Amino acid sequence: MTGSAEGEERTPGGLAALLIDASAEAISAAGGHAGGVYLRSGTPGLLRLAVLEGLPGPLFRPWWRLHADRPFPVADAFRLGVEVVLPNATETMRRYPQFAAGLPFQFGSLHVPVTGGSTVFGVLTVLRPSAQDATELLPVRERMAQLAKELGSALRTLEKGDPAAVSWDGGPLCVRPPARRRPSGYLGRFAWDPVTGVVSAEERLNVVLGSAPGDAHATVEDFAAAVAPGDTDRILAALREAAGGRPPALPLYVRAANGALRLVEVWGPYEDATPFGPVAPVRGVVLDPGESAVADVAADLLPDGVFCLDRLGTVVYANPHAARLLRRSRTELLGRPLWESVPWLNQPAVEDHLRVALLSPDPVHFHVRRPSAQERDPDASPFGGDWLALSVYSGPDLLTCTIRPGHGVADSPSDLPETHAAPEPVGATSLAPLYRPIVLAIALTEAVTPRQVSAVVMRELLPAFGGRRLAIYLLQERHLYMAWETGFPQGFLAPFDGVALDERLPGVETLTNGRPLFFDSMQQLADAYPGIALDATEGARAFLPLIASGRPVGSCILGFDRPRSFSSEERAVLTAMAGLIAHAMEKAQRYESEAALARGLQQALLPRRLSEHPLLETAGRYLPGTQGMEVGGDWYDVVPSGDGLALVIGDVQGHGVQAAATMGQLRSAVRAFALGDRRPDEVMSGTNHLLIDLDTGLFASCCYIRLDPATGLAQAAVAGHPRPLLRRPDGRTHLVDLPGGVVLGVDQQAQYPVSELRMEPGAVLALYTDGLVERPGVDIDEGISALRVALARAGAPGARPGGRSLAGMADRLTATARHIPDRPDDIALLLATRRATPLRRK
């Protein structure tokens, strides 16, 4: 738990103010604990947390960056442009298990895309108390949608002035939100703009201070004098500290002109100063403390330690007994983050407990070991020190903590002192949270290829341990071949690709010996392996064996920019994660072998050549889905039928080998019926009966058109399939309105009416499956309309001989889908056009 945000550079001025205000409004509207805004970054596909309001940034560092393709609610809201509403923890676990495993607490959340025009800039997100179901949140959703719309409009305007202005590449602005509960002595809020010097206040506060309700105070000195003429310097100092990013020691009690006690609370836009100076007004509130001052005095007399944290983790109150137990003076505690003022609380177990308290309504109780004074001596016993019992009670604005001497029993193994590892340096970032193996395990369940497994490891392993470099090697025929690398100098790892198992290299020996190897620095690595090639950094290295069920799979290398030690907990967690990676890689390798067989089966089932006719030109395209085995049940065919040709396209439900095998059976049946010159309705009925008799549990859609190329007259029957598109010679394009029956394989008595249509010479008929026009979160009619427009713009075919032009049109219509890396469904497309004259053959 460190007090500094990642990176020093911030985006100044208007952008930060817009984000902070929108976040505060959203939290207030949703009755939330906390919230913030994710924005797109300069790295394609990477979102960054720009504003985090109501939570300490260091405790939530793993969520500062988020890839848009991850199965997380923020990523889905951004990528799909839809609201994601998770009313409670149960719904969160059901829909987003990785997100729930990373934050396994009782809360709900809302995530709304921030859109300006056709551009999605980011996501407005709020964490709030759990609700029974999504219907309770309808008013909240409407208000958040309006806020996101207003923010998107403002960001679009900002982008027009500077296209690079609306992106975020630093750490988040950690904002201290205004108090949600107004005490009975509430006098009013105010805001000071350090750039202009103007102070604006609520009307009721202006009245109390003797100013006209709508007036703005010309200078901050005038305002401070109006609040407390005898304490002007203290108020100005507090405001300037907040403007510089450091919260003042709280509470700030001052005296009004009439001698009455007043309490001034001040908060800045975030907790760290920036090279740009203040990026938003400093805000504050003036209170008549009344009984609260008496309460502070009463708490000072309690025999137990009591201290309070605001929602950014800053200590805002501590009684004398708490200061004694924490071994810090009250001056050292007040106004500073807890983990800065008490460095020995900087440990993973305490982080987890504080996260629970910040996000869950229930009290949290735990024990922590307080180090003894002798532990500063390296030779001191690691079992020195004593135990403290802490309880944390969460409120809307504050965490109230009690602390007392403990009974000496740890809450979990992570609370026990390390017996062998050197203690982490004071103030170091806590690493290896215990939930990381759970998150990795859940993420790996969705990875089915070695490349997908490697990408998951990069996303989950590197951020968890602060690593910058990753390399994964897989074992093939007693040699290690590189499967993935990131962060290493270009070409540095090339000499190690394909090394034999008899080489004396740490990446080889960790696998052959079955033991992980940890090196605190590159010097340690060079001493252990003299002559080994080293890159330019001096950082630590971890070499992990990938072994699944006793079988060697490969090795994993984790690299760091700086030297560091590995605690016993970190070593155990890394070893466990290596086991998870090994099992996932073994499964992925088996999957690739099975998928290769399945793809071969599907290619064998699809037509190698389409039947030809002198007056008809056809072109077909098939793209497998990229999720799962990349094989499915889509097919197309062109079959001789009487004096004409039958154009066929179909889609068997599901993916995988069974769908592909069923597709092959249906294709064969349709071909047999077509070659027998059956009417379209008879073809559909016969295929329907066959699929029901096969009893596969699958259903299928199909569109069958028997066309006479000489006359252009066609007869069509449809079974639950998207209607074809017809492009006329003049470029006008429309959806062919065909009545249809239910999908195949459902109803033994289903009827499939036959319709007639006519194709003019030069017209293009487009048959397609739903994978080409369907997108998550988008109505299929919009996708069909987009395909119709694309077909109209594709240009008239027939300009070049040999069918190349129609083939080019097919390529253009599938080009966008071909470059989408994550296609959830298969795509099939069949185009046909009539020629005015027969094709001459050479």
Side-chain angles (χ1 to χ4, degrees), residues 602 605-607 610 620-623 632-639 646-653 659-671 683-684 687 691 699-704 719 721 744 767-769 826-830:
Q602 186 167 50
L605 294 174
L606 288 171
L610 299 178
R621 294 292 182 269
Y622 173 79
L623 301 178
D634 290 18
W635 90 94
Y636 62 86
D637 209 348
V638 179
V639 188
L647 309 175
V648 188
I649 197 160
D651 182 0
V652 177
Q653 167 208 8
T662 302
M663 175 269 284
Q665 292 172 302
L666 295 188
R667 175 173 174 260
S668 297
V670 171
R671 285 186 66 87
V683 175
M684 290 292 95
T687 309
L691 184 55
F699 59 81
S701 68
C702 186
C703 180
Y704 181 95
H721 198 84
L744 306 173
L767 285 69
Y768 52 92
T769 58
D826 309 333
I827 291 172
L829 172 69
L830 177 62

Side-chain angles (χ1 to χ4, degrees), residues 4 30 35 113 129 135 283 318 331 360 406 417 473 593 637 639 643 675 727 747:
S4 60
T135 58
R283 305 173 191 274
T331 302
S360 301
Y473 290 83
S593 299
D637 209 348
V639 188
D643 295 333
L675 290 169
R727 184 187 190 278
D747 181 5

Side-chain angles (χ1 to χ4, degrees), residues 80-124:
L80 304 177
V82 298
E83 297 178 13
V84 177
V85 180
L86 304 172
N88 49 50
T90 301
E91 182 70 5
T92 304
M93 176 58 78
R94 185 184 71 82
R95 294 176 58 187
Y96 296 97
Q98 287 188 50
F99 179 59
L103 294 170
F105 314 123
Q106 295 296 322
F107 67 91
S109 60
L110 296 94
H111 313 268
V112 182
V114 177
T115 305
S118 60
T119 302
V120 181
F121 292 108
V123 177
L124 182 63

Side-chain angles (χ1 to χ4, degrees), residues 379-654:
D379 298 325
S381 167
F383 290 98
D386 49 11
W387 291 89
L388 298 175
L390 279 82
S391 296
V392 185
Y393 302 86
S394 180
D397 303 312
L398 294 175
L399 302 182
T400 299
C401 311
T402 64
I403 181 170
R404 61 181 66 88
H407 48 63
V409 178
D411 299 281
S412 68
S414 63
D415 289 326
L416 292 173
E418 299 285 357
T419 56
H420 300 293
E424 290 289 332
V426 171
T429 303
S430 59
L431 301 171
L434 295 178
Y435 58 78
R436 274 292 163 181
I438 302 173
V439 175
L440 179 64
I442 295 173
L444 287 173
T445 61
E446 301 179 0
V448 294
T449 67
R451 186 169 184 82
Q452 290 173 347
V453 171
S454 300
V456 168
V457 174
M458 181 187 71
R459 291 198 304 258
E460 301 297 340
L461 194 63
L462 291 184
F465 291 85
R468 300 291 183 184
R469 293 165 171 78
L470 175 71
I472 295 178
Y473 290 83
L474 296 181
L475 181 64
Q476 294 179 17
E477 299 179 352
R478 295 189 57 78
H479 288 74
L480 286 173
Y481 294 93
M482 185 186 298
W484 183 278
E485 66 97 6
T486 184
F488 287 93
Q490 186 175 4
F492 173 74
L493 295 177
F496 302 101
D497 192 18
V499 296
L501 291 188
D502 57 359
E503 295 280 351
R504 188 173 185 275
L505 294 168
V508 172
E509 293 189 353
T510 188
L511 180 62
T512 55
N513 296 332
R515 296 193 308 271
L517 301 174
F518 298 95
F519 300 95
D520 294 354
S521 66
M522 294 295 275
Q523 185 58 51
Q524 279 193 6
L525 177 60
D527 292 343
Y529 292 87
I532 189 173
L534 304 175
D535 57 39
T537 66
E538 293 297 326
R541 292 288 184 272
F543 296 83
L544 308 174
L546 303 183
I547 299 174
S549 304
R551 293 186 296 275
V553 176
S555 59
C556 175
I557 304 171
L558 187 61
F560 301 82
D561 285 344
R562 292 181 293 274
R564 63 173 301 256
S565 60
F566 296 89
S567 68
S568 60
E569 180 192 63
E570 290 176 311
R571 293 172 185 238
V573 171
L574 280 168
T575 303
M577 294 175 93
L580 294 173
I581 297 166
H583 281 282
M585 277 294 185
E586 185 184 48
K587 181 184 72 173
Q589 288 176 312
R590 287 200 309 269
Y591 170 87
E592 279 206 332
S593 299
E594 295 170 1
L597 292 174
R599 284 192 293 269
L601 168 64
Q602 186 167 50
Q603 290 300 321
L605 294 174
L606 288 171
R608 290 180 178 273
R609 292 183 59 191
L610 299 178
S611 298
E612 299 178 349
H613 190 283
L615 291 175
L616 191 71
E617 179 182 351
T618 59
R621 294 292 182 269
Y622 173 79
L623 301 178
T626 57
Q627 297 178 359
M629 275 197 178
E630 299 186 7
V631 294
D634 290 18
W635 90 94
Y636 62 86
D637 209 348
V638 179
V639 188
S641 182
D643 295 333
L645 291 176
L647 309 175
V648 188
I649 197 160
D651 182 0
V652 177
Q653 167 208 8

